[in-house]
Amino acid sequence: MKKLIIIVIAAFTGQIIWATERPNILYIMSDDHTSQAIGAYGSRLAKLNPTPTIDRLAKEGILFENAFCSNAICAPSRATILTGQYAHTCGVHDLRGGIEGGRQHLAREMKKAGYQTAMIGKWHLKKEPADFDFYSVLPGQGKFHDPEFRIRGDKPWPKNLIKFPGKHSSDAITDQTLKWFKEKRDDSKPFFLMHHYKAPHDYFEHAHRYNDYLSDVDIPQPKNLIESHPASFGSIATRGYQDELIPHIGTSIGNRNPRRSYAVDLPKRFPQDFPQDYDPSKLTDKQIQKLAYNAYLRKYLRCVKGVDDNLKRLFNYLEETGQMDNTVIIYTGDQGFMLGEHDYQDKRWMYEEAMRMPLLIRYPKTIKAGQREDAIVGNVDFAPTMLEFAGIKTPAYMQGRSFKSICETGIEPDNWPNEAYYRYWMHMAHHDNPGHVGIRTKEYKLIYFYGADYKGGNQTPPAWELYDMKKDPLESANLYDNPKYAKTVANLKQRLVSLRKRIGDDGRDFPETEKVVQEFWNYDAADREKARKISNEFLKRRLQTLNAPSKRKKK
Ligand code: CA
């Protein structure tokens, strides 16, 4: 009887009942903010207290320890979040991709269900965010200082611009969100807002007020930066035959990579963050690495501080206006980031620090405070989860699954998969990472570096790596060739085959790449012999390119 009365009232009052019953959804995402740089995750950096405001979400909500992206780079991760589809399905494999209006599914479904929708900040999906009621987005990567934003207006996309001279992008993005709340909110509807910072993406330009933040602090270094390539780490794919490619795979903090390193880049970009009498010719490689690492982390953490301080402003506003507790607040980064682990820069890797996304969710009405959750969830599951919080069933075209019930009960449903799929396509672009594919379970990670571009070319040596994530969370020992793990490898390979089939990454779009993927799948003696040759050939090509400019100068 009680149920019937509620239904009748709801039918008469329509929208208003919906608005009071359904939560607002505030999705906050920073660019390249990694879990090691969030206090609540408890890394070596936690003692610096980098994120007191973000930590509040963990204290009063749930923290996911095993949230993973399926492709650790900006545009593909954003496209997956917006569509609930993997890169090969939504078509955004790399930074060139975009999602046009009509396919911005998360916004479209929210709007269809009566939510007021807005997208403010970094977008990076090229096409107009047309499926949102309101948008103000940075063009492409956008600028840290004096940013401009594309808005809806009289002229066709992307010609309507507003400018924020003298402002830092994190401040300007928060200002605009607060303005949207004050001037544009339609209180008859719940809201779905995507609030995206550009920070702390490289090259880490923070607001000037943070110039001195951490300047006197020696930032704790990861063990695997100090000793970055112990013999047990990696494979011929990441080290080359007899370690000949260690300098050339993965851009570095120290001098390891002659093509691109912070040891060379940062003193030019940020001389103020190096000692006044800095002279690398008088220093050892280890000393240079330490200085570059400190400069890098200080810049990065100053950007993070700017995000955290701005979120304090935003949360204060939600509290003052009584919206804090009826809003599902989600905080994440579009992927993780290597903060010097293995002496690597950037993201892209399936290694843990890049593949893991920070994920914190606060909604005190149904989510208990202070939970830490180890269920494996992915960015492909974000849209279904947010939609379920809004009372919307996962549309059939989405490939992810809602983990709302895990947030609310801490219990994984019986059929919840203990596996995450990963694929990085941009073979050897920008940061010298080979193309790879793999599977992550709670216990293990199997990575297959097939090492080829979209046409199967520019090959790097193929190899497999297996890490025991419980015993070796820092991924220091590749166990692929350890006979004790032969069964585990066989089992995970089979699961990877099934997973690829289930999600439809069958190589159809790039048949020449798939040929390489298949060729080295079994990795027998002949494959290994061929990998050695590929290593030698790649080294020759690499040294030619590295030496080319100086040769030209001599002429
Ligand atoms: Ca990113």
mmCIF file of all heavy atoms in Angstrom, residues 30-32 73-74 78 122 201 334-335 347, ligand 1:
data_model
loop_
_atom_site.group_PDB
_atom_site.id
_atom_site.type_symbol
_atom_site.label_atom_id
_atom_site.label_comp_id
_atom_site.label_asym_id
_atom_site.label_seq_id
_atom_site.Cartn_x
_atom_site.Cartn_y
_atom_site.Cartn_z
ATOM 1 N N SER A 30 41.208 14.943 -12.907
ATOM 2 C CA SER A 30 42.401 15.712 -13.228
ATOM 3 C C SER A 30 43.165 14.971 -14.304
ATOM 4 O O SER A 30 42.945 13.784 -14.524
ATOM 5 C CB SER A 30 43.264 15.911 -11.986
ATOM 6 O OG SER A 30 42.533 16.656 -11.042
ATOM 7 N N ASP A 31 44.077 15.678 -14.956
ATOM 8 C CA ASP A 31 44.828 15.066 -16.045
ATOM 9 C C ASP A 31 46.168 14.555 -15.531
ATOM 10 O O ASP A 31 47.007 15.347 -15.105
ATOM 11 C CB ASP A 31 45.044 16.108 -17.156
ATOM 12 C CG ASP A 31 45.413 15.446 -18.457
ATOM 13 O OD1 ASP A 31 45.832 14.274 -18.436
ATOM 14 O OD2 ASP A 31 45.283 16.103 -19.505
ATOM 15 N N ASP A 32 46.346 13.253 -15.539
ATOM 16 C CA ASP A 32 47.602 12.626 -15.122
ATOM 17 C C ASP A 32 47.836 12.679 -13.607
ATOM 18 O O ASP A 32 48.981 12.579 -13.165
ATOM 19 C CB ASP A 32 48.830 13.250 -15.830
ATOM 20 C CG ASP A 32 48.825 13.047 -17.334
ATOM 21 O OD1 ASP A 32 47.921 12.363 -17.834
ATOM 22 O OD2 ASP A 32 49.740 13.572 -17.995
ATOM 23 N N ILE A 73 46.344 6.598 -21.578
ATOM 24 C CA ILE A 73 46.662 7.873 -22.205
ATOM 25 C C ILE A 73 45.384 8.693 -22.370
ATOM 26 O O ILE A 73 44.291 8.130 -22.442
ATOM 27 C CB ILE A 73 47.434 7.668 -23.528
ATOM 28 C CG1 ILE A 73 47.933 9.004 -24.050
ATOM 29 C CG2 ILE A 73 46.610 6.919 -24.555
ATOM 30 C CD1 ILE A 73 49.152 8.908 -24.912
ATOM 31 N N CYS A 74 45.557 10.034 -22.396
ATOM 32 C CA CYS A 74 44.440 10.954 -22.177
ATOM 33 C C CYS A 74 43.196 10.679 -23.016
ATOM 34 O O CYS A 74 42.161 10.278 -22.495
ATOM 35 C CB CYS A 74 44.893 12.386 -22.421
ATOM 36 S SG CYS A 74 46.364 12.842 -21.498
ATOM 37 N N ARG A 78 39.509 9.130 -21.809
ATOM 38 C CA ARG A 78 38.346 10.008 -21.749
ATOM 39 C C ARG A 78 37.214 9.483 -22.629
ATOM 40 O O ARG A 78 36.037 9.532 -22.262
ATOM 41 C CB ARG A 78 38.737 11.420 -22.205
ATOM 42 C CG ARG A 78 39.543 12.144 -21.149
ATOM 43 C CD ARG A 78 40.429 13.236 -21.716
ATOM 44 N NE ARG A 78 41.407 13.579 -20.701
ATOM 45 C CZ ARG A 78 41.224 14.529 -19.774
ATOM 46 N NH1 ARG A 78 40.134 15.269 -19.785
ATOM 47 N NH2 ARG A 78 42.137 14.742 -18.851
ATOM 48 N N LYS A 122 39.088 20.484 -19.080
ATOM 49 C CA LYS A 122 39.785 19.804 -20.176
ATOM 50 C C LYS A 122 38.912 18.711 -20.787
ATOM 51 O O LYS A 122 38.399 17.852 -20.090
ATOM 52 C CB LYS A 122 41.104 19.209 -19.691
ATOM 53 C CG LYS A 122 41.844 18.562 -20.861
ATOM 54 C CD LYS A 122 43.304 18.375 -20.620
ATOM 55 C CE LYS A 122 43.905 17.621 -21.807
ATOM 56 N NZ LYS A 122 45.298 17.259 -21.598
ATOM 57 N N HIS A 201 49.187 17.744 -15.704
ATOM 58 C CA HIS A 201 49.806 17.303 -16.975
ATOM 59 C C HIS A 201 51.132 18.039 -17.238
ATOM 60 O O HIS A 201 51.321 19.165 -16.793
ATOM 61 C CB HIS A 201 48.811 17.607 -18.098
ATOM 62 C CG HIS A 201 49.122 16.965 -19.402
ATOM 63 N ND1 HIS A 201 50.052 17.477 -20.270
ATOM 64 C CD2 HIS A 201 48.625 15.856 -19.997
ATOM 65 C CE1 HIS A 201 50.100 16.719 -21.346
ATOM 66 N NE2 HIS A 201 49.245 15.721 -21.211
ATOM 67 N N ASP A 334 42.663 10.701 -15.384
ATOM 68 C CA ASP A 334 42.336 9.947 -16.609
ATOM 69 C C ASP A 334 43.211 8.711 -16.781
ATOM 70 O O ASP A 334 42.896 7.823 -17.547
ATOM 71 C CB ASP A 334 42.346 10.842 -17.863
ATOM 72 C CG ASP A 334 43.655 11.577 -18.044
ATOM 73 O OD1 ASP A 334 44.495 11.578 -17.118
ATOM 74 O OD2 ASP A 334 43.845 12.166 -19.122
ATOM 75 N N GLN A 335 44.308 8.650 -16.053
ATOM 76 C CA GLN A 335 45.123 7.433 -15.888
ATOM 77 C C GLN A 335 46.069 7.716 -14.745
ATOM 78 O O GLN A 335 45.989 8.765 -14.124
ATOM 79 C CB GLN A 335 45.935 7.000 -17.092
ATOM 80 C CG GLN A 335 46.068 7.817 -18.327
ATOM 81 C CD GLN A 335 46.675 9.169 -18.279
ATOM 82 O OE1 GLN A 335 46.278 9.996 -19.066
ATOM 83 N NE2 GLN A 335 47.599 9.435 -17.370
ATOM 84 N N LYS A 347 52.999 8.171 -18.833
ATOM 85 C CA LYS A 347 52.022 7.123 -18.501
ATOM 86 C C LYS A 347 52.194 5.982 -19.514
ATOM 87 O O LYS A 347 53.231 5.357 -19.533
ATOM 88 C CB LYS A 347 50.619 7.717 -18.505
ATOM 89 C CG LYS A 347 50.267 8.539 -19.735
ATOM 90 C CD LYS A 347 50.309 10.020 -19.493
ATOM 91 C CE LYS A 347 49.852 10.757 -20.747
ATOM 92 N NZ LYS A 347 49.826 12.200 -20.568
HETATM 93 CA CA CA B 1 46.083 12.209 -19.049
#
